[in-house]
Each structure stands twice: as structure tokens, then as C-alpha cells.
Amino acid sequence: MRVSRWLADRWVMIVALLVLGYLSLPILVVAGLSFNRPSSRLSYDFNEFTLDNWRQPCATSDMCEAVVRSVQIGFLATVVATVLGTLMAFALVRHRFRGRAGINVLIFLPMATPELVMGTSLLALFVSAGVPQGFWTIVIAHVMFCVSFVVVTVKARLAGMDRRLEEAAMDLYASEWQTFRRITLPLVLPGIVAAALLAFSLSFDDFIITNFNAGTTVTFPMYVWGAAQRGIPPQVNVIGTAMFAIALLLVGLSSLRWRRERRANLLAGTTPQARRPS
């Protein structure tokens, strides 16, 4: 009876843990293969444990060049898309103007359009305009589909923000710039950071749109696709595991900082004398 009652009270949590475990299984396989010395280039079974892959992640120079190129493209696309998307989100949430509903629909089009259609459309656009395919056409293509995700993420943060905080700051004789810098921006910043991380992940991971507009430029996903035909080097698993570990570290640090700030705010609200110097 106790076991059945315990399962009845926690079945939702158990199902959630099973789903998370299922989703994490491919990541665990990649992490395990990063410590593997395969028996052959075309073999993916675990043969022998080794740390050589982590000691020499750039044993294949072409792969490291592709990784650096993907990071450069992702960084540029993230910066441009985050700036444009944040400005668009503020305009759509805070202002009323003609065509606002139509713009909201257009923002969702890059998210709903299949990547194959978007990639071929951009290729036709660049060819008709006489623009040579390469590094900058990839950046432009990535900015195009990353902006939509940034706008949606920042809009959700702005929609859930209490406008009365800004009004209170203005009532206390704060200027518009002071209100934005001290109230609005700190409240919206988590959404902006989340949008930037999402944009970078989408840009670094993209293959289909990049493949249509890359020309002779090779990014990390394109390198992996080409290497799969002749045997993927184990260092690819190292890069994949390292990227996942970095993302997990950033999320963990952000969550830890949020918990500390929440605890400090609760402490300041309940026992304000605890923050005074003795």
C-alpha cells in the first residue's frame, strides 16, 4: 500500500524523469564515445577507453577550422539578430502602429517555413543579386531566421513584465533613460540573454540553410556531414560534449545567480537589519 501510494503521488515526476532520461541518452552516448579509441574509422562501437581525444581535440586541423568558423558565424549572427530582435520586440509590445498585426504574422514565417524552402529561396536571391556565396551569405541567412526566435523570446519577457515598476520610477522623478537603464533593462535582460543563447545554438547547429548558401565555406555541421561518408573522427564527439558542457555550465550559473538574488531579496524583505553593518 505504501509503495502504491508513493507511486500515485509521484507518477508525474517519474514520467518526467523517464522522458528526460530518454532525451539525454544520445548526449550520454556522444560523451561516452568521446573517450573511445575506435577499432576503425567506420566503427562506432566502444573499443578502448582513452583520453587522447581530449588531449588532442585538434588532431584534425580541418575540423578545428570548421569549429572556429561556426563560432565566428554564430557570434556575428547572434549579435545582429539579438539587437534587431530586441528592438522589434519593444516596438511590437510597447507601441501601437498601423500594420502591427501583419508584422506579427511575418515574424512567425521564418519559424514556420521549412528550412529547405528558406535555403533555396535565399540561394535564388543571392544568385539573382550577383552576391558570391561564402562566409557573409551564411551570416545573413542565419540572422534572417534567428531574428524571429529573438523577437518571440523577448516579447514573452516584456509581456510578463509589470509596467507599474516603470511608472513608479517615473513618479520618483527618474528620467526615461534612467528608468530604462535601472528598471526596464535589468528586468528584460534574462529574456535577452536567453534569446541570444538560443540564436547562437540555432546558428551553430544549422546545416540545411548553410549548405545552400555556403559556397566553398565549410562549417562544423557541414564538416560532420562530409566526414560521415569516410568515417567521423572521435574528436567530433569531444567538440559536441564540450559544447553541451559549456551550455549546461551557463544555465547552471544563471540558475545559481537567480537563486542567490531571490534569497537575498527575501532576506532583505524579512530581516532588513541583517544587511546593516554591525
Side-chain angles (χ1 to χ4, degrees), residues 25-258:
L25 187 60
I27 301 174
L28 296 177
V29 172
V30 171
L33 290 177
S34 66
F35 298 97
N36 178 39
R37 179 182 285 117
S39 57
S40 65
R41 260 186 103 79
L42 298 177
S43 175
Y44 299 99
D45 57 339
F46 195 87
N47 179 51
E48 181 182 355
F49 180 84
T50 181
L51 294 176
D52 294 340
N53 300 329
W54 286 87
R55 294 193 186 102
Q56 300 176 350
C58 290
T60 306
S61 59
D62 295 342
M63 185 193 70
C64 285
E65 292 177 1
V67 172
V68 172
R69 195 172 295 114
S70 291
V71 172
Q72 292 173 346
I73 293 173
F75 177 77
L76 292 174
T78 299
V79 171
V80 177
T82 302
V83 173
L84 295 178
T86 301
L87 295 176
M88 292 173 64
F90 270 94
L92 292 172
V93 174
R94 296 297 180 85
H95 300 281
R96 306 287 179 180
F97 53 90
R98 183 176 299 177
R100 180 169 172 265
I103 292 177
N104 278 318
V105 174
L106 290 175
I107 287 173
F108 282 96
L109 285 181
M111 302 173 61
T113 303
E115 292 188 353
L116 184 65
V117 176
M118 184 179 296
T120 54
S121 301
L122 287 171
L123 175 62
L125 175 64
F126 291 138
V127 170
S128 61
V131 179
Q133 286 75 45
F135 182 91
W136 292 108
T137 54
I138 299 176
V139 173
I140 295 172
H142 286 195
V143 169
M144 181 177 178
F145 67 80
C146 286
V147 165
S148 298
F149 291 93
V150 174
V151 172
V152 172
T153 305
V154 179
K155 273 184 63 179
R157 183 66 179 179
L158 286 172
M161 198 179 74
D162 191 355
R163 291 291 301 272
R164 291 176 296 181
L165 297 174
E166 297 173 297
E167 295 173 358
M170 299 289 286
D171 290 340
L172 294 173
Y173 302 102
S175 63
E176 293 184 358
W177 168 246
Q178 290 175 331
T179 302
F180 176 80
R181 184 168 59 90
R182 295 179 178 272
I183 304 297
T184 308
L185 184 59
L187 292 175
V188 183
L189 189 59
I192 297 176
V193 174
L197 293 176
L198 178 62
F200 182 83
S201 300
L202 293 171
S203 175
F204 187 86
D205 186 60
D206 182 76
F207 169 76
I208 298 177
I209 298 176
T210 304
N211 190 35
F212 278 102
N213 301 277
T216 58
T217 304
V218 179
T219 61
F220 181 63
M222 295 179 63
Y223 174 84
V224 175
W225 176 76
Q229 303 176 8
R230 57 184 183 275
I232 299 177
Q235 285 78 10
V236 170
N237 301 316
V238 174
I239 300 299
T241 305
M243 294 296 296
F244 175 76
I246 293 173
L248 194 62
L249 179 63
L250 292 175
V251 173
L253 292 176
S254 177
S255 177
L256 181 62
R257 180 181 178 183
W258 177 79

